[in-house]
């Protein structure tokens, strides 16, 4: 009888341990999902702000959504490093009448607790292309800013 009681207690302890472990795993997965969602919302908000600024012809507001030392690679025009170079690029594009940018087939991939990559197709009134890598990074104030922006103009 003692062996049955010991075996029963051991089985009960194992089952309790599995339930507690399973709940801890579920809590951890839920916390990760919430963190990913917060990053996705911050990136979507910043991306919308960028598109709104660009479509309003406000190159300065669009450039303000890049980190100070960001890198922008535009095929076929080249690489633009830092805020001033990026602002000059967008100012030139806006001055030429480009606007009405729209993203399609957007894919956001959360990389870690502080960053996400966006890829998409894009069109505007006078051009179109593909975004291969927008690297958005969450700043200390909770906003997302572009650290890298790689896109191609294909039409």
């Amino acid at each position: 009888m003692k062996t049955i009681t010991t075996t029963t207690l051991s089985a009960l302890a194992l089952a309790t341990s599995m339930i507690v472990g399973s709940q801890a795993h579920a809590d951890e997965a839920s916390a990760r999902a919430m963190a990913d969602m917060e990053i996705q919302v911050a990136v979507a908000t910043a991306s919308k702000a960028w598109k709104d600024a660009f479509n309003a012809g406000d190159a300065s507001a669009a450039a303000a959504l890049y980190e100070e030392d960001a890198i922008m690679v535009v095929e076929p025009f080249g690489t633009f490093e830092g805020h001033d170079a990026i602002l000059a690029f967008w100012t030139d594009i806006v001055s030429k009448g480009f606007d009405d940018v729209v993203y399609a087939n957007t894919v956001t991939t959360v990389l870690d607790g502080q960053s996400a990559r966006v890829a998409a197709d894009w069109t505007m009134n006078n051009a179109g292309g593909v975004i291969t890598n927008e690297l958005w990074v969450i700043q200390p104030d909770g906003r997302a800013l572009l650290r890298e922006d790689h896109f191609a103009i294909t039409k």
Side-chain angles (χ1 to χ4, degrees):
M1 186 71 141
K2 187 173 185 176
T3 303
I4 293 173
T5 304
T6 303
T7 303
T8 303
L9 288 174
S10 294
L12 182 58
L14 179 61
T16 302
S17 171
M18 289 174 61
I19 290 169
V20 169
S22 179
Q23 183 59 47
H25 181 72
D27 290 346
E28 182 181 323
S30 179
R32 277 194 314 253
M34 287 298 292
D36 283 1
M37 186 176 72
E38 288 174 7
I39 292 168
Q40 289 178 0
V41 167
V43 167
T45 300
S47 180
K48 181 181 182 318
W50 186 92
K51 289 178 274 194
D52 289 348
F54 178 81
N55 289 338
D58 190 345
S60 182
L65 289 158
Y66 289 81
E67 290 183 336
E68 190 62 35
D69 57 350
I71 296 172
M72 187 171 73
V73 179
V74 184
E75 293 178 29
F77 295 111
T79 300
F80 302 84
E81 296 185 39
H83 181 266
D84 292 343
I86 291 168
L87 173 59
F89 177 86
W90 291 123
T91 298
D92 181 55
I93 293 296
V94 166
S95 75
K96 292 177 178 168
F98 289 85
D99 64 9
D100 198 26
V101 70
V102 176
Y103 287 14
N105 304 316
T106 304
V107 176
T108 302
T109 304
V110 175
L111 301 174
D112 54 37
Q114 297 298 314
S115 63
R117 291 192 190 278
V118 172
D121 298 323
W122 61 270
T123 59
M124 64 173 62
N125 63 330
N126 293 324
V130 62
I131 298 165
T132 56
N133 175 26
E134 285 183 348
L135 175 59
W136 292 89
V137 178
I138 306 301
Q139 305 299 302
D141 64 4
R143 294 179 310 132
L145 294 178
L146 280 162
R147 179 168 291 168
E148 295 179 24
D149 188 4
H150 299 254
F151 65 96
I153 300 168
T154 58
K155 59 180 179 173

